[in-house]
Amino acid sequence: MGAQLRVYKRRIRAVTATKKITKAMEMIAASRIVKAQRKVAASMPYATELTRAVTAVATGSNTKHALTTEVEAPARAAVLLITSDRGLAGGYSSNAIKQAERLTERLRGEGKEVDTYIVGRKGLAYFGFRERKVAESWTGFTDSPAYSDAKRVAGPLIEAIQTETAEGGVDELHIIYTEFVSMMTQNAVDGRMLPLSLDEAPETETTAGGAKGEILPLFDFEPSAEDVLDALLPRYVESRIYNALLQSAASEHAARRRAMKSATDNAGDLIKSLSRLANAARQAEITQEISEIVGGASAMADATAGSDK
């Protein structure tokens, strides 16, 4: 019985130590969420205005640019998947990977070849375990991305879409990331970055009479609309990727906080259960010791009574 009690106590100590670790990780993740949210909010105005500028050039000129013109029969697409470098974040990375699998299946169903680009060790490990080819990968910054990281990721993707398909280039660029909705909700989403969809154009301002749909003015571009697109569109891709990295980072911290809170609560419940079992074992041990003492005392009393006779 004593051995069983020692086992329970040892397990309680181990679970208590684990609970301290998960609680600390929960608090760290909670502190990082606020910082990540601020970065997401700070990046939105730049991304919005850059999208407006690129859309204005695309709609205000007749220039056909490789990054804004739809290919009649696209044959190859690049997919950028953003996952995490570390685990203990619940289903954060697996949800993004599942979304990437669905997108890849849809693109292949449309007759397109797919080149996969991956951010994060979790996505890289998933593809590596299945021995699937990855065009390029980046790791080491998913929990706190900088704009320089977005530029590093965007470089090969822009080069790929500017290259002819016959020479290894792509016709489309898609991105999968985890959108931060709230502390409790994060959704894995996918979207096409290039060619730029003019549906993303901001709504025109209302006229004096309150009606929308006024005729847009004609623009003059210097030195040319094509040169302006050459300068703006790489920045557009970088800003979109940077915003996706920031949203994914915020989602990762929120998912990790939720997972660690669940682990901490489960550890607390397990400690209570083990404590009850340990108390029951201790009570049984005490009861057995009392029974042995009483039995020994009775035996001694009987022996003494027999010797007196």
mmCIF file of all heavy atoms in Angstrom, residues 92-142:
data_model
loop_
_atom_site.group_PDB
_atom_site.id
_atom_site.type_symbol
_atom_site.label_atom_id
_atom_site.label_comp_id
_atom_site.label_asym_id
_atom_site.label_seq_id
_atom_site.Cartn_x
_atom_site.Cartn_y
_atom_site.Cartn_z
ATOM 1 N N TYR A 92 -3.284 24.985 -34.885
ATOM 2 C CA TYR A 92 -2.935 26.153 -35.704
ATOM 3 C C TYR A 92 -2.282 25.752 -37.027
ATOM 4 O O TYR A 92 -2.770 26.088 -38.108
ATOM 5 C CB TYR A 92 -2.013 27.074 -34.903
ATOM 6 C CG TYR A 92 -1.304 28.105 -35.747
ATOM 7 C CD1 TYR A 92 -1.970 29.217 -36.230
ATOM 8 C CD2 TYR A 92 0.042 27.951 -36.078
ATOM 9 C CE1 TYR A 92 -1.324 30.157 -37.015
ATOM 10 C CE2 TYR A 92 0.695 28.888 -36.860
ATOM 11 C CZ TYR A 92 0.013 29.985 -37.324
ATOM 12 O OH TYR A 92 0.646 30.895 -38.108
ATOM 13 N N SER A 93 -1.173 25.022 -36.961
ATOM 14 C CA SER A 93 -0.450 24.658 -38.188
ATOM 15 C C SER A 93 -1.217 23.631 -39.014
ATOM 16 O O SER A 93 -1.251 23.711 -40.251
ATOM 17 C CB SER A 93 0.941 24.121 -37.840
ATOM 18 O OG SER A 93 1.770 25.147 -37.319
ATOM 19 N N SER A 94 -1.841 22.674 -38.343
ATOM 20 C CA SER A 94 -2.550 21.625 -39.082
ATOM 21 C C SER A 94 -3.732 22.197 -39.862
ATOM 22 O O SER A 94 -4.019 21.743 -40.979
ATOM 23 C CB SER A 94 -3.037 20.535 -38.116
ATOM 24 O OG SER A 94 -3.932 21.066 -37.154
ATOM 25 N N ASN A 95 -4.405 23.207 -39.332
ATOM 26 C CA ASN A 95 -5.521 23.822 -40.060
ATOM 27 C C ASN A 95 -5.029 24.528 -41.320
ATOM 28 O O ASN A 95 -5.669 24.454 -42.377
ATOM 29 C CB ASN A 95 -6.249 24.812 -39.160
ATOM 30 C CG ASN A 95 -7.032 24.134 -38.052
ATOM 31 O OD1 ASN A 95 -7.388 22.961 -38.154
ATOM 32 N ND2 ASN A 95 -7.287 24.851 -36.975
ATOM 33 N N ALA A 96 -3.887 25.217 -41.215
ATOM 34 C CA ALA A 96 -3.323 25.888 -42.388
ATOM 35 C C ALA A 96 -2.885 24.864 -43.432
ATOM 36 O O ALA A 96 -3.080 25.060 -44.637
ATOM 37 C CB ALA A 96 -2.147 26.766 -41.974
ATOM 38 N N ILE A 97 -2.305 23.769 -42.980
ATOM 39 C CA ILE A 97 -1.860 22.722 -43.904
ATOM 40 C C ILE A 97 -3.055 22.087 -44.617
ATOM 41 O O ILE A 97 -3.012 21.833 -45.824
ATOM 42 C CB ILE A 97 -1.036 21.661 -43.149
ATOM 43 C CG1 ILE A 97 0.315 22.264 -42.693
ATOM 44 C CG2 ILE A 97 -0.791 20.428 -44.020
ATOM 45 C CD1 ILE A 97 1.104 21.365 -41.773
ATOM 46 N N LYS A 98 -4.138 21.851 -43.873
ATOM 47 C CA LYS A 98 -5.345 21.293 -44.490
ATOM 48 C C LYS A 98 -5.910 22.250 -45.540
ATOM 49 O O LYS A 98 -6.358 21.807 -46.611
ATOM 50 C CB LYS A 98 -6.402 21.005 -43.419
ATOM 51 C CG LYS A 98 -6.059 19.844 -42.507
ATOM 52 C CD LYS A 98 -7.113 19.678 -41.426
ATOM 53 C CE LYS A 98 -6.743 18.554 -40.464
ATOM 54 N NZ LYS A 98 -7.734 18.430 -39.356
ATOM 55 N N GLN A 99 -5.879 23.548 -45.242
ATOM 56 C CA GLN A 99 -6.358 24.531 -46.204
ATOM 57 C C GLN A 99 -5.477 24.523 -47.449
ATOM 58 O O GLN A 99 -5.977 24.633 -48.580
ATOM 59 C CB GLN A 99 -6.360 25.925 -45.567
ATOM 60 C CG GLN A 99 -7.006 27.009 -46.404
ATOM 61 C CD GLN A 99 -8.517 26.872 -46.489
ATOM 62 O OE1 GLN A 99 -9.134 26.171 -45.681
ATOM 63 N NE2 GLN A 99 -9.118 27.522 -47.460
ATOM 64 N N ALA A 100 -4.178 24.360 -47.263
ATOM 65 C CA ALA A 100 -3.257 24.285 -48.399
ATOM 66 C C ALA A 100 -3.519 23.033 -49.232
ATOM 67 O O ALA A 100 -3.449 23.081 -50.470
ATOM 68 C CB ALA A 100 -1.816 24.299 -47.905
ATOM 69 N N GLU A 101 -3.826 21.931 -48.589
ATOM 70 C CA GLU A 101 -4.119 20.693 -49.317
ATOM 71 C C GLU A 101 -5.381 20.854 -50.158
ATOM 72 O O GLU A 101 -5.438 20.399 -51.313
ATOM 73 C CB GLU A 101 -4.285 19.526 -48.331
ATOM 74 C CG GLU A 101 -3.014 19.144 -47.579
ATOM 75 C CD GLU A 101 -2.043 18.356 -48.432
ATOM 76 O OE1 GLU A 101 -2.046 18.494 -49.669
ATOM 77 O OE2 GLU A 101 -1.273 17.579 -47.873
ATOM 78 N N ARG A 102 -6.397 21.504 -49.580
ATOM 79 C CA ARG A 102 -7.637 21.730 -50.340
ATOM 80 C C ARG A 102 -7.386 22.644 -51.537
ATOM 81 O O ARG A 102 -7.905 22.396 -52.631
ATOM 82 C CB ARG A 102 -8.717 22.311 -49.424
ATOM 83 C CG ARG A 102 -9.299 21.335 -48.423
ATOM 84 C CD ARG A 102 -10.534 21.896 -47.747
ATOM 85 N NE ARG A 102 -10.203 22.967 -46.825
ATOM 86 C CZ ARG A 102 -9.974 22.785 -45.531
ATOM 87 N NH1 ARG A 102 -10.036 21.569 -45.012
ATOM 88 N NH2 ARG A 102 -9.689 23.809 -44.747
ATOM 89 N N LEU A 103 -6.610 23.698 -51.322
ATOM 90 C CA LEU A 103 -6.311 24.616 -52.416
ATOM 91 C C LEU A 103 -5.497 23.923 -53.504
ATOM 92 O O LEU A 103 -5.780 24.082 -54.698
ATOM 93 C CB LEU A 103 -5.544 25.827 -51.886
ATOM 94 C CG LEU A 103 -5.041 26.827 -52.929
ATOM 95 C CD1 LEU A 103 -6.212 27.434 -53.703
ATOM 96 C CD2 LEU A 103 -4.212 27.922 -52.279
ATOM 97 N N THR A 104 -4.514 23.140 -53.104
ATOM 98 C CA THR A 104 -3.682 22.426 -54.073
ATOM 99 C C THR A 104 -4.523 21.453 -54.892
ATOM 100 O O THR A 104 -4.368 21.353 -56.120
ATOM 101 C CB THR A 104 -2.557 21.655 -53.355
ATOM 102 O OG1 THR A 104 -1.745 22.594 -52.622
ATOM 103 C CG2 THR A 104 -1.682 20.907 -54.341
ATOM 104 N N GLU A 105 -5.430 20.753 -54.223
ATOM 105 C CA GLU A 105 -6.306 19.811 -54.927
ATOM 106 C C GLU A 105 -7.203 20.551 -55.928
ATOM 107 O O GLU A 105 -7.412 20.088 -57.051
ATOM 108 C CB GLU A 105 -7.161 19.053 -53.919
ATOM 109 C CG GLU A 105 -8.037 17.977 -54.532
ATOM 110 C CD GLU A 105 -8.835 17.210 -53.493
ATOM 111 O OE1 GLU A 105 -8.600 17.428 -52.285
ATOM 112 O OE2 GLU A 105 -9.690 16.396 -53.891
ATOM 113 N N ARG A 106 -7.706 21.723 -55.532
ATOM 114 C CA ARG A 106 -8.555 22.503 -56.443
ATOM 115 C C ARG A 106 -7.771 23.004 -57.653
ATOM 116 O O ARG A 106 -8.257 22.939 -58.791
ATOM 117 C CB ARG A 106 -9.177 23.678 -55.689
ATOM 118 C CG ARG A 106 -10.007 24.594 -56.566
ATOM 119 C CD ARG A 106 -10.828 25.568 -55.738
ATOM 120 N NE ARG A 106 -10.000 26.435 -54.931
ATOM 121 C CZ ARG A 106 -9.426 27.549 -55.381
ATOM 122 N NH1 ARG A 106 -9.578 27.905 -56.663
ATOM 123 N NH2 ARG A 106 -8.714 28.301 -54.586
ATOM 124 N N LEU A 107 -6.563 23.498 -57.417
ATOM 125 C CA LEU A 107 -5.744 24.002 -58.522
ATOM 126 C C LEU A 107 -5.362 22.881 -59.481
ATOM 127 O O LEU A 107 -5.383 23.070 -60.710
ATOM 128 C CB LEU A 107 -4.484 24.680 -57.973
ATOM 129 C CG LEU A 107 -4.699 25.984 -57.198
ATOM 130 C CD1 LEU A 107 -3.390 26.472 -56.589
ATOM 131 C CD2 LEU A 107 -5.297 27.065 -58.093
ATOM 132 N N ARG A 108 -5.042 21.736 -58.933
ATOM 133 C CA ARG A 108 -4.703 20.606 -59.796
ATOM 134 C C ARG A 108 -5.924 20.120 -60.557
ATOM 135 O O ARG A 108 -5.814 19.649 -61.685
ATOM 136 C CB ARG A 108 -4.095 19.483 -58.966
ATOM 137 C CG ARG A 108 -2.666 19.783 -58.520
ATOM 138 C CD ARG A 108 -2.101 18.709 -57.620
ATOM 139 N NE ARG A 108 -0.706 19.004 -57.272
ATOM 140 C CZ ARG A 108 -0.039 18.405 -56.301
ATOM 141 N NH1 ARG A 108 -0.637 17.486 -55.559
ATOM 142 N NH2 ARG A 108 1.219 18.729 -56.063
ATOM 143 N N GLY A 109 -7.093 20.233 -59.924
ATOM 144 C CA GLY A 109 -8.319 19.895 -60.632
ATOM 145 C C GLY A 109 -8.590 20.814 -61.795
ATOM 146 O O GLY A 109 -9.287 20.436 -62.746
ATOM 147 N N GLU A 110 -8.047 22.036 -61.743
ATOM 148 C CA GLU A 110 -8.181 22.986 -62.848
ATOM 149 C C GLU A 110 -7.089 22.796 -63.900
ATOM 150 O O GLU A 110 -6.997 23.585 -64.841
ATOM 151 C CB GLU A 110 -8.131 24.416 -62.300
ATOM 152 C CG GLU A 110 -9.294 24.763 -61.374
ATOM 153 C CD GLU A 110 -9.117 26.110 -60.703
ATOM 154 O OE1 GLU A 110 -8.052 26.735 -60.929
ATOM 155 O OE2 GLU A 110 -10.015 26.539 -59.958
ATOM 156 N N GLY A 111 -6.265 21.768 -63.708
ATOM 157 C CA GLY A 111 -5.223 21.470 -64.682
ATOM 158 C C GLY A 111 -3.939 22.250 -64.496
ATOM 159 O O GLY A 111 -3.132 22.351 -65.431
ATOM 160 N N LYS A 112 -3.702 22.776 -63.283
ATOM 161 C CA LYS A 112 -2.495 23.568 -63.030
ATOM 162 C C LYS A 112 -1.491 22.769 -62.202
ATOM 163 O O LYS A 112 -1.878 22.041 -61.294
ATOM 164 C CB LYS A 112 -2.857 24.852 -62.280
ATOM 165 C CG LYS A 112 -3.872 25.724 -62.991
ATOM 166 C CD LYS A 112 -4.353 26.847 -62.098
ATOM 167 C CE LYS A 112 -5.492 27.629 -62.741
ATOM 168 N NZ LYS A 112 -6.071 28.638 -61.836
ATOM 169 N N GLU A 113 -0.232 22.943 -62.538
ATOM 170 C CA GLU A 113 0.828 22.415 -61.699
ATOM 171 C C GLU A 113 1.031 23.375 -60.525
ATOM 172 O O GLU A 113 0.832 24.573 -60.660
ATOM 173 C CB GLU A 113 2.128 22.267 -62.488
ATOM 174 C CG GLU A 113 2.057 21.243 -63.618
ATOM 175 C CD GLU A 113 3.399 21.101 -64.319
ATOM 176 O OE1 GLU A 113 4.437 21.350 -63.669
ATOM 177 O OE2 GLU A 113 3.406 20.763 -65.515
ATOM 178 N N VAL A 114 1.448 22.821 -59.383
ATOM 179 C CA VAL A 114 1.549 23.626 -58.169
ATOM 180 C C VAL A 114 2.969 23.556 -57.613
ATOM 181 O O VAL A 114 3.504 22.467 -57.403
ATOM 182 C CB VAL A 114 0.544 23.158 -57.093
ATOM 183 C CG1 VAL A 114 0.718 23.972 -55.815
ATOM 184 C CG2 VAL A 114 -0.885 23.284 -57.607
ATOM 185 N N ASP A 115 3.566 24.736 -57.403
ATOM 186 C CA ASP A 115 4.845 24.853 -56.699
ATOM 187 C C ASP A 115 4.547 25.360 -55.296
ATOM 188 O O ASP A 115 3.888 26.394 -55.132
ATOM 189 C CB ASP A 115 5.787 25.823 -57.417
ATOM 190 C CG ASP A 115 6.271 25.269 -58.751
ATOM 191 O OD1 ASP A 115 6.162 24.046 -58.964
ATOM 192 O OD2 ASP A 115 6.741 26.069 -59.586
ATOM 193 N N THR A 116 5.040 24.655 -54.294
ATOM 194 C CA THR A 116 4.735 25.000 -52.908
ATOM 195 C C THR A 116 5.925 25.691 -52.256
ATOM 196 O O THR A 116 7.049 25.191 -52.292
ATOM 197 C CB THR A 116 4.363 23.752 -52.097
ATOM 198 O OG1 THR A 116 3.276 23.078 -52.741
ATOM 199 C CG2 THR A 116 3.941 24.129 -50.692
ATOM 200 N N TYR A 117 5.648 26.837 -51.661
ATOM 201 C CA TYR A 117 6.626 27.592 -50.870
ATOM 202 C C TYR A 117 6.128 27.592 -49.430
ATOM 203 O O TYR A 117 4.939 27.799 -49.189
ATOM 204 C CB TYR A 117 6.770 29.018 -51.386
ATOM 205 C CG TYR A 117 7.308 29.122 -52.794
ATOM 206 C CD1 TYR A 117 6.497 28.861 -53.898
ATOM 207 C CD2 TYR A 117 8.628 29.503 -53.028
ATOM 208 C CE1 TYR A 117 6.994 28.966 -55.191
ATOM 209 C CE2 TYR A 117 9.129 29.614 -54.319
ATOM 210 C CZ TYR A 117 8.303 29.344 -55.398
ATOM 211 O OH TYR A 117 8.796 29.441 -56.670
ATOM 212 N N ILE A 118 7.021 27.359 -48.485
ATOM 213 C CA ILE A 118 6.592 27.153 -47.096
ATOM 214 C C ILE A 118 7.346 28.077 -46.152
ATOM 215 O O ILE A 118 8.568 28.219 -46.239
ATOM 216 C CB ILE A 118 6.793 25.691 -46.665
ATOM 217 C CG1 ILE A 118 5.915 24.762 -47.510
ATOM 218 C CG2 ILE A 118 6.460 25.500 -45.188
ATOM 219 C CD1 ILE A 118 6.087 23.304 -47.185
ATOM 220 N N VAL A 119 6.587 28.670 -45.231
ATOM 221 C CA VAL A 119 7.151 29.409 -44.100
ATOM 222 C C VAL A 119 6.831 28.634 -42.833
ATOM 223 O O VAL A 119 5.664 28.333 -42.567
ATOM 224 C CB VAL A 119 6.561 30.833 -44.013
ATOM 225 C CG1 VAL A 119 7.042 31.527 -42.740
ATOM 226 C CG2 VAL A 119 6.951 31.650 -45.232
ATOM 227 N N GLY A 120 7.854 28.283 -42.044
ATOM 228 C CA GLY A 120 7.623 27.580 -40.785
ATOM 229 C C GLY A 120 8.085 26.129 -40.818
ATOM 230 O O GLY A 120 7.913 25.432 -41.814
ATOM 231 N N ARG A 121 8.656 25.680 -39.716
ATOM 232 C CA ARG A 121 9.193 24.322 -39.632
ATOM 233 C C ARG A 121 8.092 23.258 -39.654
ATOM 234 O O ARG A 121 8.329 22.135 -40.107
ATOM 235 C CB ARG A 121 10.042 24.174 -38.364
ATOM 236 C CG ARG A 121 11.324 24.986 -38.386
ATOM 237 C CD ARG A 121 12.236 24.633 -37.214
ATOM 238 N NE ARG A 121 13.473 25.381 -37.289
ATOM 239 C CZ ARG A 121 13.675 26.553 -36.694
ATOM 240 N NH1 ARG A 121 12.700 27.095 -35.972
ATOM 241 N NH2 ARG A 121 14.826 27.175 -36.797
ATOM 242 N N LYS A 122 6.919 23.584 -39.131
ATOM 243 C CA LYS A 122 5.841 22.590 -39.075
ATOM 244 C C LYS A 122 5.371 22.196 -40.478
ATOM 245 O O LYS A 122 5.185 21.017 -40.775
ATOM 246 C CB LYS A 122 4.666 23.128 -38.248
ATOM 247 C CG LYS A 122 4.960 23.222 -36.762
ATOM 248 C CD LYS A 122 5.276 21.871 -36.179
ATOM 249 C CE LYS A 122 5.600 21.947 -34.700
ATOM 250 N NZ LYS A 122 5.918 20.625 -34.128
ATOM 251 N N GLY A 123 5.177 23.173 -41.338
ATOM 252 C CA GLY A 123 4.790 22.862 -42.711
ATOM 253 C C GLY A 123 5.897 22.146 -43.445
ATOM 254 O O GLY A 123 5.648 21.206 -44.214
ATOM 255 N N LEU A 124 7.145 22.555 -43.205
ATOM 256 C CA LEU A 124 8.286 21.915 -43.856
ATOM 257 C C LEU A 124 8.417 20.462 -43.411
ATOM 258 O O LEU A 124 8.705 19.576 -44.224
ATOM 259 C CB LEU A 124 9.561 22.697 -43.530
ATOM 260 C CG LEU A 124 10.817 22.322 -44.312
ATOM 261 C CD1 LEU A 124 10.603 22.524 -45.804
ATOM 262 C CD2 LEU A 124 11.998 23.162 -43.827
ATOM 263 N N ALA A 125 8.192 20.198 -42.116
ATOM 264 C CA ALA A 125 8.262 18.826 -41.611
ATOM 265 C C ALA A 125 7.152 17.965 -42.205
ATOM 266 O O ALA A 125 7.362 16.785 -42.513
ATOM 267 C CB ALA A 125 8.166 18.829 -40.083
ATOM 268 N N TYR A 126 5.962 18.552 -42.372
ATOM 269 C CA TYR A 126 4.829 17.814 -42.943
ATOM 270 C C TYR A 126 5.154 17.360 -44.367
ATOM 271 O O TYR A 126 4.953 16.197 -44.722
ATOM 272 C CB TYR A 126 3.589 18.710 -42.930
ATOM 273 C CG TYR A 126 2.364 18.113 -43.576
ATOM 274 C CD1 TYR A 126 1.490 17.312 -42.847
ATOM 275 C CD2 TYR A 126 2.071 18.351 -44.916
ATOM 276 C CE1 TYR A 126 0.358 16.769 -43.439
ATOM 277 C CE2 TYR A 126 0.946 17.810 -45.515
ATOM 278 C CZ TYR A 126 0.092 17.022 -44.772
ATOM 279 O OH TYR A 126 -1.024 16.477 -45.377
ATOM 280 N N PHE A 127 5.672 18.266 -45.179
ATOM 281 C CA PHE A 127 5.988 17.919 -46.560
ATOM 282 C C PHE A 127 7.226 17.019 -46.634
ATOM 283 O O PHE A 127 7.304 16.139 -47.485
ATOM 284 C CB PHE A 127 6.210 19.193 -47.380
ATOM 285 C CG PHE A 127 4.944 19.823 -47.867
ATOM 286 C CD1 PHE A 127 4.112 20.508 -46.990
ATOM 287 C CD2 PHE A 127 4.566 19.734 -49.194
ATOM 288 C CE1 PHE A 127 2.933 21.091 -47.426
ATOM 289 C CE2 PHE A 127 3.387 20.312 -49.656
ATOM 290 C CZ PHE A 127 2.567 20.986 -48.759
ATOM 291 N N GLY A 128 8.196 17.240 -45.747
ATOM 292 C CA GLY A 128 9.389 16.415 -45.743
ATOM 293 C C GLY A 128 9.093 14.983 -45.353
ATOM 294 O O GLY A 128 9.664 14.035 -45.930
ATOM 295 N N PHE A 129 8.198 14.777 -44.377
ATOM 296 C CA PHE A 129 7.844 13.423 -43.952
ATOM 297 C C PHE A 129 7.177 12.654 -45.084
ATOM 298 O O PHE A 129 7.354 11.443 -45.209
ATOM 299 C CB PHE A 129 6.913 13.505 -42.739
ATOM 300 C CG PHE A 129 6.471 12.169 -42.215
ATOM 301 C CD1 PHE A 129 7.319 11.388 -41.450
ATOM 302 C CD2 PHE A 129 5.198 11.681 -42.500
ATOM 303 C CE1 PHE A 129 6.914 10.150 -40.967
ATOM 304 C CE2 PHE A 129 4.782 10.458 -42.024
ATOM 305 C CZ PHE A 129 5.643 9.682 -41.254
ATOM 306 N N ARG A 130 6.420 13.360 -45.906
ATOM 307 C CA ARG A 130 5.727 12.718 -47.033
ATOM 308 C C ARG A 130 6.548 12.749 -48.316
ATOM 309 O O ARG A 130 6.062 12.351 -49.374
ATOM 310 C CB ARG A 130 4.370 13.408 -47.254
ATOM 311 C CG ARG A 130 3.375 13.075 -46.158
ATOM 312 C CD ARG A 130 2.277 14.098 -46.039
ATOM 313 N NE ARG A 130 1.342 13.725 -44.976
ATOM 314 C CZ ARG A 130 1.595 13.904 -43.683
ATOM 315 N NH1 ARG A 130 2.735 14.442 -43.303
ATOM 316 N NH2 ARG A 130 0.710 13.535 -42.759
ATOM 317 N N GLU A 131 7.792 13.228 -48.197
ATOM 318 C CA GLU A 131 8.731 13.273 -49.324
ATOM 319 C C GLU A 131 8.135 14.014 -50.522
ATOM 320 O O GLU A 131 8.248 13.580 -51.666
ATOM 321 C CB GLU A 131 9.162 11.858 -49.733
ATOM 322 C CG GLU A 131 9.891 11.114 -48.625
ATOM 323 C CD GLU A 131 10.341 9.736 -49.056
ATOM 324 O OE1 GLU A 131 9.939 9.283 -50.156
ATOM 325 O OE2 GLU A 131 11.096 9.098 -48.303
ATOM 326 N N ARG A 132 7.511 15.152 -50.226
ATOM 327 C CA ARG A 132 6.932 15.980 -51.276
ATOM 328 C C ARG A 132 7.833 17.179 -51.537
ATOM 329 O O ARG A 132 8.403 17.759 -50.606
ATOM 330 C CB ARG A 132 5.521 16.419 -50.876
ATOM 331 C CG ARG A 132 4.559 15.240 -50.815
ATOM 332 C CD ARG A 132 3.274 15.564 -50.101
ATOM 333 N NE ARG A 132 2.541 16.647 -50.730
ATOM 334 C CZ ARG A 132 1.355 17.075 -50.313
ATOM 335 N NH1 ARG A 132 0.791 16.508 -49.259
ATOM 336 N NH2 ARG A 132 0.743 18.060 -50.929
ATOM 337 N N LYS A 133 7.932 17.556 -52.764
ATOM 338 C CA LYS A 133 8.864 18.598 -53.176
ATOM 339 C C LYS A 133 8.392 19.968 -52.697
ATOM 340 O O LYS A 133 7.215 20.297 -52.782
ATOM 341 C CB LYS A 133 9.002 18.604 -54.704
ATOM 342 C CG LYS A 133 10.013 19.608 -55.220
ATOM 343 C CD LYS A 133 10.101 19.548 -56.736
ATOM 344 C CE LYS A 133 11.075 20.597 -57.270
ATOM 345 N NZ LYS A 133 11.148 20.576 -58.754
ATOM 346 N N VAL A 134 9.341 20.746 -52.203
ATOM 347 C CA VAL A 134 9.087 22.128 -51.782
ATOM 348 C C VAL A 134 10.008 23.038 -52.586
ATOM 349 O O VAL A 134 11.228 22.821 -52.630
ATOM 350 C CB VAL A 134 9.346 22.306 -50.273
ATOM 351 C CG1 VAL A 134 9.197 23.767 -49.873
ATOM 352 C CG2 VAL A 134 8.395 21.431 -49.469
ATOM 353 N N ALA A 135 9.431 24.055 -53.236
ATOM 354 C CA ALA A 135 10.231 24.944 -54.077
ATOM 355 C C ALA A 135 11.238 25.729 -53.239
ATOM 356 O O ALA A 135 12.415 25.832 -53.603
ATOM 357 C CB ALA A 135 9.326 25.896 -54.852
ATOM 358 N N GLU A 136 10.781 26.278 -52.117
ATOM 359 C CA GLU A 136 11.671 27.026 -51.226
ATOM 360 C C GLU A 136 10.992 27.158 -49.873
ATOM 361 O O GLU A 136 9.761 27.125 -49.774
ATOM 362 C CB GLU A 136 12.005 28.395 -51.808
ATOM 363 C CG GLU A 136 13.214 29.046 -51.168
ATOM 364 C CD GLU A 136 13.834 30.132 -52.034
ATOM 365 O OE1 GLU A 136 13.476 30.217 -53.231
ATOM 366 O OE2 GLU A 136 14.664 30.892 -51.515
ATOM 367 N N SER A 137 11.795 27.316 -48.824
ATOM 368 C CA SER A 137 11.232 27.405 -47.479
ATOM 369 C C SER A 137 12.023 28.419 -46.652
ATOM 370 O O SER A 137 13.190 28.703 -46.935
ATOM 371 C CB SER A 137 11.258 26.035 -46.790
ATOM 372 O OG SER A 137 12.597 25.573 -46.639
ATOM 373 N N TRP A 138 11.345 28.932 -45.607
ATOM 374 C CA TRP A 138 11.951 29.896 -44.695
ATOM 375 C C TRP A 138 11.516 29.541 -43.282
ATOM 376 O O TRP A 138 10.354 29.194 -43.046
ATOM 377 C CB TRP A 138 11.506 31.317 -45.022
ATOM 378 C CG TRP A 138 11.812 31.764 -46.421
ATOM 379 C CD1 TRP A 138 12.912 32.444 -46.854
ATOM 380 C CD2 TRP A 138 10.997 31.556 -47.584
ATOM 381 N NE1 TRP A 138 12.837 32.665 -48.206
ATOM 382 C CE2 TRP A 138 11.671 32.134 -48.682
ATOM 383 C CE3 TRP A 138 9.762 30.928 -47.813
ATOM 384 C CZ2 TRP A 138 11.163 32.114 -49.972
ATOM 385 C CZ3 TRP A 138 9.253 30.898 -49.094
ATOM 386 C CH2 TRP A 138 9.950 31.493 -50.158
ATOM 387 N N THR A 139 12.416 29.646 -42.327
ATOM 388 C CA THR A 139 12.103 29.316 -40.936
ATOM 389 C C THR A 139 12.793 30.318 -40.011
ATOM 390 O O THR A 139 13.686 31.056 -40.414
ATOM 391 C CB THR A 139 12.565 27.893 -40.570
ATOM 392 O OG1 THR A 139 13.993 27.798 -40.766
ATOM 393 C CG2 THR A 139 11.880 26.843 -41.427
ATOM 394 N N GLY A 140 12.344 30.282 -38.744
ATOM 395 C CA GLY A 140 13.036 31.037 -37.709
ATOM 396 C C GLY A 140 12.437 32.380 -37.335
ATOM 397 O O GLY A 140 12.990 33.075 -36.474
ATOM 398 N N PHE A 141 11.293 32.777 -37.915
ATOM 399 C CA PHE A 141 10.761 34.109 -37.601
ATOM 400 C C PHE A 141 9.240 34.131 -37.498
ATOM 401 O O PHE A 141 8.652 35.225 -37.447
ATOM 402 C CB PHE A 141 11.197 35.116 -38.669
ATOM 403 C CG PHE A 141 10.830 34.718 -40.086
ATOM 404 C CD1 PHE A 141 9.561 34.960 -40.589
ATOM 405 C CD2 PHE A 141 11.755 34.096 -40.897
ATOM 406 C CE1 PHE A 141 9.221 34.583 -41.881
ATOM 407 C CE2 PHE A 141 11.435 33.722 -42.199
ATOM 408 C CZ PHE A 141 10.167 33.976 -42.696
ATOM 409 N N THR A 142 8.586 32.994 -37.453
ATOM 410 C CA THR A 142 7.123 32.987 -37.534
ATOM 411 C C THR A 142 6.446 33.641 -36.336
ATOM 412 O O THR A 142 5.353 34.196 -36.472
ATOM 413 C CB THR A 142 6.597 31.547 -37.675
ATOM 414 O OG1 THR A 142 7.020 30.782 -36.535
ATOM 415 C CG2 THR A 142 7.133 30.899 -38.935
#
